[in-house]
Structure formats: C-alpha cells, structure tokens
Amino acid sequence: MAGMQPADPLSPSRMGVATSPHADGGHAASGHEAYSPGNQVEVPTARGGNRGIQWSRWTPGLRTFLRYEATWLGHDVVAGLVLATMLVPVGIAYAVASGLPGICGLYATIIPLLVYAVFGPSRILVLGPDSALAAVILGVVLPLSGGDPQRAIALGGMMALVSGMVLVLAGLARLGFVTELLSKPIRYGYMNGIALTVLISQLPKLFGFSVESTGPLRDLWAIGGAVLAGRTNWAALAVGLGTLATILLLRGSRRVPGILIAVIGATIAVGLFDLAERHDVSILGSLPQGLPRFAIPLIGVGDIVPVLIGGCAVAMVSFADTSVLSRAYAARTRTTVDPNQEMVGLGAANLAAGFFQGFPISSSSSRTPVAEAAGARTQLTGIVGALAIALLLLVAPDLLRNLPTSALAAVVIASAIGLFEVADLRRIHRIQRWEFWLSIACFAGVAVFGAIPGIGLAIVIAVIEFLWDGWRPYSAVLGRPNGVEGYHDVTRYPQAHRISGLVLFRWDAPLFFANAELFRERVLAAVAESPTPVQCVVVAAAPVTSVDVTAADALAELDDALLVQGIELRFAELKDPVKDKLRRFGLFDRFGETRFSPTLDAAVSRYQGPT
C-alpha cells in the first residue's frame, strides 16, 4: 500500500512544480497566495518513529490541520460562512429534485463535508447534493418509494452506501489514473464549458424568473425569450446586479470579504424595503429544523437490484465529475492531489451520508468556485460551512429568511467568471493549433450537452489523442552528420553519412496492435529507398517501451520478409523489460543474442566487423 500515499500540498518538492505566478497555466487562483512550504514536521508517535506519516496518508485532511497556519484561519472561516449561504438552498432543492424530503439535502451536506475534511486530499473541493445525480436518484427512488418519505430516505441512503463502497474500492484499486488522460487544453475546455454552463444556469434567478432546463444553449435561448416577453423582475435584477458588482469590485481585496458583504447587504436590503412582498422578489425563506441521526437504511429484497444499479451509476458520474474537478482545481491552486485518495475521500463521504439520512453526493462545480473566490485555504472551510448549517438548524432557522435568490445567483456568476481561462488558451493557439481546437471541442461538448456528457466527451477525445500519437508515431532513417555527435534523422541532416548496406531505423513509440503494421511498412519502405543495396536493418529501439502480441507477430513477419531479401534484422538500445517480453513471445530465441546491441555505435561496429 505504499504507493497510496497522497501528495502533500505543503511539501517543498511538490511546491517546486509550480512556483511562478503563471505556473498553473496563466493565472493564480482568485484570492490565493502561493501556499507556504514551511512547517515541515513529522507526526510524532508513541515510539518516536514516523509511523504517523504512514497513517496520515489515509487522512490527508488531518495532516493539513497538524500543519495549519494561523494566517489561514480568517480566510477559511469567512469562506465557510459564505459557502453556507450557498449550501442551504441548493441542498434543499436537490433533495426535492431527487425525490426526498428537503431536510435530507442539508443532512447530505453537513455529514459529508465533515468526513471529506478528514479523508479528502483536495483543500477546497466542496461536496454535497448535485444536480447531475438528481435524475438518477429520482429514477430509482420515485417508483420504489410510492411517495412514502421514510421509504424514500431509506432508498436514498442505501444508494449512497452502494455508491460510497464502489468509490472506496475504486480508490483502493488505483483507478484514479483516469485523470491522467486529460491534458491541459482538454481541462481548460472542460472548465470553460463548466463556467459557461454554471453562468447560464444562474441567469434566470438573476432576472427573477424560471425556465425549464433542457441544456445550456437551449436554456440561453429560453432566457432570451423570457426577457423579451417582459418576465424580468426588475427589483430582483437590481439586487442581483448590485450583489455582482460588489463582489467584482472587492474581488481584488484580500482583507475585505466581498462576497460576505454583498450577501449580507442584499439580505438587509430585501428585509428593509420589504421587496419580497412589494415586488415579489424570491427569497430563501425559513429553514427546516432538526439534525441528522445515525440510522441504517433498510430496504426490501425487491429493491436491491435497482438500488445497486442506481448506486453504481451515481458512483460513475461522481467519479468522473470529481476526478476532473479535483485535478483542475489542484492546478489552479498550485497543489497536487492523489486521484486515488480523492476517490477514497468521496466514497467515505457517501458512506457517511448513507448512514445519516442523506443520499448520494458528489463534488460541486458551482459551490467549489464560491469557496475558492471567498478565499478558502484548507478543508476547514467545509467544516465551518457544515457547522454553520447545523447551528442554523438548531438556533436560527429564520436568519437567512430574506436572502434573495438573485443574490445567490450573483455569487455563483461571479465565481463562474473567474473560472474562464483565456490567456493560456491564446498561448496554446499560437504554439499548437490542433490542441487549441481540442480545447474548443471539449468546451462545446460541455456547453451543448452539459457537464457530465462533456466529461465523457473530454475523456473520449483524450483517448483518441493518445491513440493517434501512438498509431501514427514519428520514425526516421538515421545517419551521422559531420560535426554532430551521434546519429540523426537524415531528413533533417541531408548530408549525414549513411553506411553502405546498413539502414538505421528509429521508431518513436511503443509497438502495439494499432501501429504494428505501420512499423513493418515503414521499415520495408526505408529498405526500398536506401541508396545502396541493404544487407542489414538496425532498429534504434530506445523509444520502444513496450511490445504486445500483435506487434511481436508483426516483427516475426518482418524478419521473414527481410530474410527473403537476404537482409538481417537487428536491434539496438532495446530496454530490458521489452527484451523480457520478447523472450516470453519466443522472439528472443528466434533472433538470438547477437542481433541485440546495447548502443547504436556497438550495432554499427558489429555490422562493419573488425577494422
């Protein structure tokens, strides 16, 4: 299990990866300083060893708290309080949308945030009920519960347990590698698409009306139609725009909590001028009361199969969403997270939600930027937000009664604006056009189809990009240029000396099923184009990191084709692990030891013989 140790965001070696203001791809995260690499202390144990480091890999949040800096406290507390104003309404809304009582949305917010603060590696990722999961949960809960709220709670809780177990197992199985499939341009495209989607989703609330969501671009069309039809609530819009302007004006200040000031100001304005009654401004209203209690969700035997299927489905969705979001925010905050531990943290949070009257949860692409923009430094932000919600439920359910939804929309819009990446995309457009258009394709996928299908599209594009590079790799015939050490591509050095009767051929990729035939064709083409009759082909195999069965068979076929012409196939600089594979495939015995040379110079000397 040693390989499971998550990256330490406070480690100097990790901090060295990105130390310049633009190391994360163009700009530092809004409101963030570079994290201090100080306070490097080991967690003591009773025996004076460093076993604490071993157990702390499973609880990265605790490791952060043990090295907590006092200067972060104010940022985390303010960000947590601001975050709480977002968590309450969306938690209730997503619970109802999932077919459960609204109070379950708050339970599914409080407990997961506390658990993730211990097991989650990301310092600012916010977990909770998510709109992307609501349709899947509703599809299971609604037909099985028959409208019974207690049965709906049990079904939702069991789905969370299934989802949590799947995610924990995925993390332990180290399936977090899926995040490595996403290049920087693809991540930019995804995040830009998310930013646009979040912004569009909040526009109806900002204008004071509602539309039926059918997709980001179709929603934008519906919003335009509603505005032209005169459905705008001008009082709500004024409050929202005032909130947005305040946030944007104070965004550059690290001392003044612009979001908190804007939200409090909007709440006071609505109450003072009675905008809810006089101008029909939508407000949050009174909160339901009660704290979550531990309970084992019990379901009927007939419910097991659909709950298992639904739980696995939401696990897949939250896996994809959290992986991409966590990786993107790690780059923005100049930290590193272990994607496998991210899955463990997400799974633990889902398990906790299932045992405390919650339902499946995921990371949030709308609430996480709120925490970021408010100045969150560590997981303490989520703890403060969870405790604030619990306190509201206990002692002050009417405290946020007059909070206007247009002000909440302004908070999210301000955060979405900060997500857009433009500067570094300009650089990518200048130096690598095709990667720029990959980014635009991912952006369009999210904007047209939504966040989750957009993630799937991003992963598919990334896999195609990887396979294309391996399918049609670069290859070269080598010669020795005058005045240049070593052997180089003759197309770049046309005057390079080529040894009579010898073709030096370099293949810059692993050999596998997709490119094995192309390899054979290019070697034969190099032989046919040789200026002198060929007696020997030496493959410069240093870039060949792997060989599969299909490629091994192609090598045997190539050897047969060359032997018919009286040409011997040899290899230079082949790595030992690849040689081991050739032994297993029987090719090493076929070729013999003499056909393998440790260097190109050795291969050339062997061909030329004693001088």
Side-chain angles (χ1 to χ4, degrees):
M1 292 294 181
M4 286 295 295
Q5 183 164 357
D8 185 353
L10 300 177
S11 166
S13 63
R14 294 292 183 187
M15 288 301 299
V17 173
T19 55
S20 70
H22 300 282
D24 65 339
H27 61 270
S30 175
H32 283 270
E33 309 132 344
Y35 292 115
S36 169
N39 297 336
Q40 299 302 309
V41 295
E42 288 189 351
V43 183
T45 65
R47 297 183 182 272
N50 64 344
R51 293 181 185 174
I53 295 296
Q54 297 177 8
W55 64 255
S56 70
R57 73 172 181 259
W58 300 106
T59 54
L62 291 183
R63 185 172 64 240
T64 299
F65 295 142
L66 288 172
R67 301 171 179 179
Y68 198 85
E69 295 186 9
T71 56
W72 299 343
L73 182 60
H75 296 282
D76 282 337
V77 170
V78 170
L81 294 175
V82 171
L83 183 62
T85 66
M86 281 291 299
L87 295 174
V88 172
V90 298
I92 295 172
Y94 292 156
V96 174
S98 301
L100 288 93
I103 190 66
C104 293
L106 301 185
Y107 295 162
T109 301
I110 296 172
I111 301 301
L113 281 176
L114 297 176
V115 172
Y116 184 81
V118 175
F119 295 99
S122 176
R123 302 183 76 173
I124 64 170
L125 202 64
V126 177
L127 268 60
D130 188 68
S131 58
L133 304 181
V136 180
I137 300 170
L138 182 67
V140 175
V141 169
L142 189 60
L144 296 181
S145 66
D148 181 355
Q150 293 304 315
R151 192 174 181 196
I153 293 173
L155 291 166
M158 185 56 70
M159 286 184 69
L161 294 183
V162 172
S163 175
M165 186 60 65
V166 170
L167 289 166
V168 169
L169 293 176
L172 295 178
R174 304 184 64 78
L175 297 181
F177 68 87
V178 68
T179 60
E180 302 299 327
L181 295 174
L182 303 178
S183 64
K184 181 180 287 187
I186 289 176
R187 293 201 308 271
Y188 284 164
Y190 166 75
M191 289 304 294
N192 285 345
I194 284 291
L196 180 64
T197 300
V198 170
L199 193 153
I200 292 174
S201 71
Q202 298 304 307
L203 287 178
K205 297 177 184 178
L206 186 70
F207 282 89
F209 54 74
S210 62
V211 297
E212 184 178 352
S213 180
T214 56
L217 295 186
R218 289 187 291 271
D219 288 353
L220 191 60
W221 181 266
I223 291 167
V227 171
L228 293 176
R231 293 175 56 192
T232 301
N233 185 317
W234 294 104
L237 180 61
V239 171
L241 291 178
T243 304
L244 180 61
T246 303
I247 295 171
L248 295 179
L249 286 173
L250 297 177
R251 167 170 282 179
S253 174
R254 294 181 178 177
R255 295 180 179 273
V256 182
I259 293 179
L260 188 59
I261 290 174
V263 168
I264 292 175
T267 304
I268 293 174
V270 169
L272 187 63
F273 297 105
D274 197 19
L275 297 181
E277 292 293 332
R278 293 183 179 181
H279 298 283
D280 198 27
V281 172
S282 177
I283 58 176
L284 182 60
S286 298
L287 297 176
Q289 291 182 289
L291 291 179
R293 58 181 177 81
F294 180 85
I296 299 176
L298 301 176
I299 62 175
V301 176
D303 301 333
I304 292 177
V305 172
V307 166
L308 283 174
I309 295 174
C312 291
V314 296
M316 292 174 61
V317 173
S318 58
F319 180 100
D321 200 8
T322 301
S323 295
V324 176
L325 199 62
S326 174
R327 184 178 175 88
Y329 273 96
R332 288 173 62 82
T333 57
R334 302 197 294 275
T335 58
T336 305
V337 296
D338 181 348
N340 301 301
Q341 182 63 34
E342 192 69 81
M343 295 302 102
V344 172
L346 178 61
N350 269 278
L351 288 171
F355 283 122
F356 284 90
Q357 300 165 274
F359 52 93
I361 53 94
S362 179
S363 62
S364 171
S365 57
S366 61
R367 282 153 281 171
T368 299
V370 170
E372 181 201 25
R377 293 296 189 269
T378 70
Q379 296 93 328
L380 183 61
T381 295
I383 294 177
V384 171
L387 294 180
I389 296 173
L391 190 63
L392 284 174
L393 291 177
L394 287 174
V395 300
D398 290 329
L399 183 62
L400 297 177
R401 181 179 182 278
N402 290 321
L403 176 59
T405 55
S406 61
L408 293 176
V411 172
V412 178
I413 289 172
S415 302
I417 291 173
L419 284 178
F420 284 104
E421 174 56 65
V422 177
D424 208 38
L425 275 179
R426 289 199 190 103
R427 180 180 67 89
I428 294 171
H429 179 268
R430 186 175 67 253
I431 62 178
Q432 187 93 301
R433 291 284 179 91
W434 69 269
E435 287 200 272
F436 170 82
W437 289 113
L438 275 182
S439 184
I440 296 301
C442 291
F443 166 76
V446 176
V448 173
F449 302 111
I452 299 305
I455 293 172
L457 178 62
I459 293 176
V460 169
I461 290 176
V463 172
I464 292 174
E465 177 188 3
F466 169 78
L467 289 177
W468 181 264
D469 287 342
W471 183 35
R472 289 292 182 266
Y474 190 79
S475 62
V477 174
L478 307 180
R480 186 187 288 276
N482 293 326
V484 181
E485 185 177 354
Y487 296 88
H488 300 276
D489 187 351
V490 295
T491 61
R492 292 181 177 272
Y493 297 90
Q495 304 304 318
H497 173 64
R498 298 174 63 176
I499 301 168
S500 178
L502 176 65
V503 171
L504 297 177
F505 179 84
R506 192 184 70 218
W507 180 256
D508 293 344
L511 266 175
F512 66 111
F513 64 92
N515 62 27
E517 181 61 25
L518 180 65
F519 171 81
R520 190 181 73 86
E521 291 174 359
R522 288 189 180 176
V523 171
L524 293 176
V527 170
E529 294 167 5
S530 174
T532 60
V534 179
Q535 301 175 30
C536 180
V537 173
V538 174
V539 177
V544 178
T545 56
S546 182
V547 176
D548 67 5
V549 172
T550 304
D553 290 345
L555 283 176
E557 293 171 5
L558 174 62
D559 187 48
D560 289 336
L562 292 175
L563 287 175
V564 169
Q565 302 178 50
I567 301 171
E568 187 175 48
L569 178 64
R570 298 180 181 179
F571 301 87
E573 302 177 339
L574 193 67
K575 294 176 172 59
D576 288 338
V578 182
K579 284 185 179 180
D580 293 339
K581 286 191 174 183
L582 294 184
R583 285 189 178 92
R584 290 201 303 272
F585 298 152
L587 288 181
F588 205 87
D589 293 337
R590 172 193 177 109
F591 293 143
E593 186 71 39
T594 58
R595 293 221 212 168
F596 297 89
S597 299
T599 66
L600 271 177
D601 284 330
V604 171
S605 297
R606 179 174 289 179
Y607 167 75
Q608 292 178 326
T611 57

